[in-house]
Every structure is written in structure tokens, then in C-alpha cells.
Amino acid sequence: MKQIQFVQVTPEQLQNAIIEGVKTQLQDLKKHFQPKEPNEYLTRVEVAKLLKIDLSSVHNWTKKEILTSYQIGGRVYYKRAEVENAIVQLKK
């Protein structure tokens, strides 16, 4: 175990240096912190309305793995972020 000796440093100076270091780290964390957004789940009907398409297109895109579906209790859901990410930019 290493020993650290503080020469000509009072306990108050050491405490203040530690506090300032922690404050700096917290401010840096606040600048770069991105809170995690909870997943929003959409039904097939909501996906169809969002994309302005027919339910059969939602079904076909799911079969073609363009859209990823999730199921719970016989109900089918889609993650909003994944639906929005499935939209690709056309090459010019």
C-alpha cells in the first residue's frame, strides 16, 4: 500500500482541494449526461397511423424484417425509436 505525505498543506487546504476537484468532475458530468429515455411502444395501428400506411404494409414490413416487432400476451408492439430508425435517407 502506498503512502502519501502532504507537506505544508493544512487539513482545510486539502479539504478545499478535494471539494474543488469533485465540483469540477460533477460539472463535467452534468454537461455530458444524457438521461436514458424509456422505450415507447406502439401498436400495429399506431405504427400504421405514424407512417401513414395500411395495416397490411406494417405486417409485410415485419415479415421482411424492415420493422422489428415485440409480443406480450398475444399483443404485438413496436418500439417507436426502431420504427423511426427504419426510415432511411434516399441517395441523391
Side-chain angles (χ1 to χ4, degrees):
M1 188 165 147
K2 293 183 179 181
Q3 273 190 325
I4 300 175
Q5 291 185 340
F6 296 99
V7 180
Q8 297 181 350
V9 175
T10 66
E12 291 80 17
Q13 290 173 326
L14 177 60
Q15 184 180 13
N16 289 337
I18 292 171
I19 290 171
E20 288 303 314
V22 170
K23 281 183 182 178
T24 304
Q25 292 296 319
L26 282 174
Q27 288 172 350
D28 189 47
L29 179 65
K30 284 180 185 178
K31 288 179 187 175
H32 299 95
F33 180 71
Q34 294 288 333
K36 185 177 178 184
E37 295 285 331
N39 289 327
E40 182 181 357
Y41 293 96
L42 304 173
T43 64
R44 294 180 313 129
V45 173
E46 291 170 330
V47 170
K49 285 182 183 177
L50 177 69
L51 299 176
K52 298 179 181 157
I53 58 174
D54 193 64
L55 269 177
S56 61
S57 296
V58 174
H59 175 74
N60 290 333
W61 290 358
T62 303
K63 286 189 107 176
K64 292 178 183 177
E65 298 181 357
I66 295 171
L67 296 174
T68 304
S69 63
Y70 300 88
Q71 182 177 349
I72 184 168
R75 305 246 342 173
V76 177
Y77 294 97
Y78 298 85
K79 291 182 183 178
R80 176 183 280 277
E82 290 180 0
V83 171
E84 291 172 349
N85 289 338
I87 299 171
V88 295
Q89 182 177 0
L90 296 175
K91 295 179 182 175
K92 294 180 182 181

